[in-house]
Amino acid sequence: MINYNRFVLDNGLRVLVHEDTSTPMAVVNIMYDVGARDENPAKTGFAHLFEHLMFGGSVNIPDYDEPLQRAGGENNAYTTNDLTNYYCQLPAQNLETAFWLESDRMLSLAFGKKSLDVQRKVVCEEFKEHYINKPYGDVGHKLRHLSYTTHPYRWMTIGDELSHIENATLDDVKQFFFKHYRPVNAILSVAGNVKTEEVKKLAEKWFGDIPMGEKYVRQLPQEPVQTAGRRLEVDANVPLDALYRTWHMEGRLDRGYYVADLITEVLGGGASSRLYQSLVKEQKLFSNLECHHFGTIDPGLLAIEGKLVKGVKLEDASKAVDEQLQQICESLVAESELQKVKNKTESIITFEDMSVMSRANSLAFYELLGDASLMNKELSRYQDITAEELQQYSRTIFDEKNGNTLFYHSNNN
Amino acid sequence: MINRKKSPAIHDAVEFDLKLKACDHFTLDNGVHVYAVDAGAQEVMQLEWVFYAGNCFEDQNIVAATTNFLLKNGTSTKSAFEINEHFEFYGAYLNRHCYNETATVTLHCLTKHLPVLLPEVAALFTSAEIPEEELAIYKQNQKQRLEVNLKKCDFVANRLIDEYLFGLEHPYGKYSSTKDYDALERDQLKAFYKRFYTEGKCIMFVAGKLPANLQEQLNNAFGQLPFRQSGLPVITYPGTPATEKKYNIINDNDGVQGAIRMAIPFPNRHHPDFIKVQVLNNIFGGFFGSRLMSNIREDKGYTYGIHSYLQNHIHQSAWMISTEAGRDVCAATIEEVYKEMLRLTNEPVEKDELDLVRNYMMGSILGDLDGPFQIIGRWKNYVLNNLTDAYFYNSLETIRSITAEELQELAKKYLVPETFYELVVV
């Protein structure tokens, strides 16, 4: 059970406070309700580029990192297709430094040309490091485009292509900022050795006078129900053939999300999971194999991916995956297997809650979903899922018409 | 109106009275040392068994790592699947890692499940079978993984720079090849297992919300096992560094980035300069606000990130600079690294920058000690390196008191461009 207090400033900024006196540290976390899904399809990668620019100085403070480090703090940020999160941790005595820094960059960025020029280059290097210069680095792009025709999840957070980042202008950047990075679209969560009263005072003092901004109402094109399976074959300069398959599943707040989460655990969670045991260990078709889902807020994807043992044909490997899926659709998961994946889930949640950093982040995330108290209800939502439900939802997801297959051929064979 | 241009007053982190939470220590009936930190709000635990079974003890390449990996792939009574299922059923994670001197088995679990898990861990140390079939699967999959990794410039660069620094015969300099995997035989793995696990030297580190009868539980499961606290072979560390200093390697003709590594050998933690150099390293390339980051990422945009650090070895270390930069700016990046070395050599660090680094380092130590797993991690580091908590308080004192002159002297002594190995792998 995670305790917290919640209040809202006049400008719409939602604030959550989690008091934990056992640590000398404080965490200040600001989550903005903007991700890569909110980008213009012709200007992708902006939310992430922004994450970089947010460290390039704000209207009154030329450098974000320096004063924070002086106060003994550390920080970082991440962007997903759904949201952007900035967090810092510092000795609790210096809490106000974080409020000063975070509020100033919410007030307005410095929008320096130099900062934009440099961060464009840095992000391009990041793009190259992870998505171009690595074997299989382009798979994420290809898989999203194959699986989505309409929803903006069809591009990756890093951006669809380097040119979108390379061509970003200061005007683009300013527009994006004032549309999304306003108090009314943000959630501040503070955790650690702090008092709610103190946080209230500091929040009023530093964030209270920032103009509210316009509430961003998300109207994204929704992905139509897929009516026929899709398939893509690629030849690439990689050492091994690889198989990637995806299926559409429900969004973060739907019950199906929780069921799908358990399905991925049954199929691919750990070395005793079905796919690993059958396809890696017994049949020796794959040298590694994973089953996961994308964890997105809007309806998402469940994926199975693996590299093939040399000499195995992609067709055969894919068929063996189908047999496993057929099994989970045809026979009920045994009680003990269901219990196993629920126990695992309990354990994951407990370990996640160990650090104040992660608690602050989770509180903000559930508030973004609509209600911070969901954080304390997560486990029970898993616990009452039945074997029948798991079977039924497997049948819905693993319908051939709902699936996408990418054969990634090695041209080194 | 508040004045946003003015920073709120800060408490200097250097003035914090940092304490390293004490660590309980006891021995099991067979002499195994256990170090324990009881703390934390969540009902979770981390238990780590450290064996002196690292790759420095092997006669043939990757025997130690393979033995460590296959520990949980079958015992006399359970198959690999059954072992995994047992731990996973209780939501526990059982991991193992092989390092240069040590090899570990780590268990993360909910405290309430400890009693059903400990006996299963004990079985891994006495009756692992290392079945032929498991070994065959392992060889095949590792060879494939290696093949993929060898396409990555950073992976290749990490191997080569260690080879240049230490030599292929040195435990820190050697690396695996397909041939090494092919040469593995079950008998030598079993022999290694018996000598360095079943009858090996084991030390335990435990942290989290500990049960009241922890000592009894551990003694019941591990106190009667035939571990020994002595009789380890003496390890030689043949120093055969490369004579050539500069390397340019094309690993992938189409590569858009180069992995840059620059390094010099450096003594281990017992050398009087070691702690002081940690401060200098932070200024140079040790954190986000470091000179290398400010110049090469934040000013020039040559790279997504650049870092310098002292390698985490027991016997001897190396001072390393590591980055991946655009192919066309690799040479320019290296030039800037040398410029930053020379700046540290030629000009004393200004007070303002030094104060910032002091505060950053203290804050970061404070943050690092947040939580039982982090605290035991620090103790483990001290125990395995033959240090005490005096090292901790020494470090704090050094961070607080080191002067710009001392730092400049250290820069003159160590940051000498001609002495650095320099490698670019595209």
Side-chain angles (χ1 to χ4, degrees), chain A residues 147-259:
Chain A
S147 308
Y148 288 104
T149 59
T150 312
H151 192 282
Y153 284 160
R154 68 184 185 277
W155 59 82
M156 297 192 75
T157 312
I158 189 77
D160 226 8
E161 35 188 296
L162 271 175
S163 67
H164 288 186
I165 303 293
E166 284 163 349
N167 299 331
T169 67
L170 264 183
D171 266 355
D172 293 336
V173 165
K174 276 185 196 163
Q175 241 178 31
F176 198 80
F177 179 82
F178 287 107
K179 179 170 177 193
H180 295 289
Y181 295 77
R182 301 286 81 205
V184 73
N185 296 317
I187 294 155
L188 167 66
S189 114
V190 185
N193 205 337
V194 300
K195 291 266 171 286
T196 303
E197 276 316 305
E198 181 198 9
V199 171
K200 212 174 239 174
K201 253 186 11 220
L202 290 175
E204 291 287 358
K205 175 176 173 187
W206 291 103
F207 287 91
D209 64 355
I210 303 176
M212 169 180 254
E214 212 167 296
K215 177 83 190 159
Y216 165 62
V217 184
R218 187 170 275 116
Q219 288 170 302
L220 302 180
Q222 289 304 298
E223 187 68 18
V225 173
Q226 188 173 323
T227 51
R230 297 181 204 128
R231 208 180 142 104
L232 176 68
E233 305 212 18
V234 174
D235 279 294
N237 182 22
V238 292
L240 308 168
D241 289 345
L243 173 69
Y244 300 86
R245 298 183 57 180
T246 65
W247 297 265
H248 295 275
M249 57 175 266
E250 283 182 81
R252 188 64 181 76
L253 287 164
D254 298 306
R255 187 164 173 94
Y257 175 91
Y258 294 83
V259 185

Side-chain angles (χ1 to χ4, degrees), chain B residues 336-370:
Chain B
E336 291 302 323
V337 172
Y338 286 134
K339 272 192 207 159
E340 292 301 342
M341 285 186 196
L342 292 177
R343 264 182 70 208
L344 285 168
T345 311
N346 296 335
E347 308 157 18
V349 177
E350 298 222 0
K351 180 178 183 310
D352 208 39
E353 184 180 7
L354 183 52
D355 283 347
L356 182 147
V357 170
R358 291 191 216 273
N359 277 315
Y360 167 76
M361 288 181 77
M362 294 295 282
S364 131
I365 291 173
L366 189 70
D368 276 355
L369 293 176
D370 196 9

Side-chain angles (χ1 to χ4, degrees), chain B residues 207-221:
Chain B
K209 196 121 174 182
L210 307 183
N213 65 346
L214 176 73
Q215 193 165 346
E216 193 188 328
Q217 282 201 54
L218 293 181
N219 212 22
N220 287 342

Side-chain angles (χ1 to χ4, degrees), chain B residues 145-209:
Chain B
R145 178 174 309 206
L146 177 61
E147 209 182 328
V148 172
N149 281 333
L150 286 173
K151 290 271 176 189
K152 301 176 185 166
C153 61
D154 55 342
F155 180 85
V156 173
N158 286 340
R159 288 156 58 107
L160 292 177
I161 193 72
D162 285 344
E163 178 187 343
Y164 304 152
L165 280 165
F166 302 108
L168 272 178
E169 304 303 311
H170 193 288
Y172 302 165
K174 60 186 175 179
Y175 48 77
S176 61
S177 69
T178 299
K179 237 171 55 200
D180 293 329
Y181 285 108
D182 287 334
L184 289 172
E185 307 228 4
R186 178 171 179 253
D187 285 348
Q188 38 173 192
L189 300 173
K190 288 280 287 181
F192 190 88
Y193 169 73
K194 180 165 185 282
R195 179 162 186 208
F196 294 103
Y197 287 93
T198 309
E199 295 168 8
K201 178 177 175 182
C202 173
I203 304 178
M204 282 195 67
F205 298 90
V206 187
K209 196 121 174 182

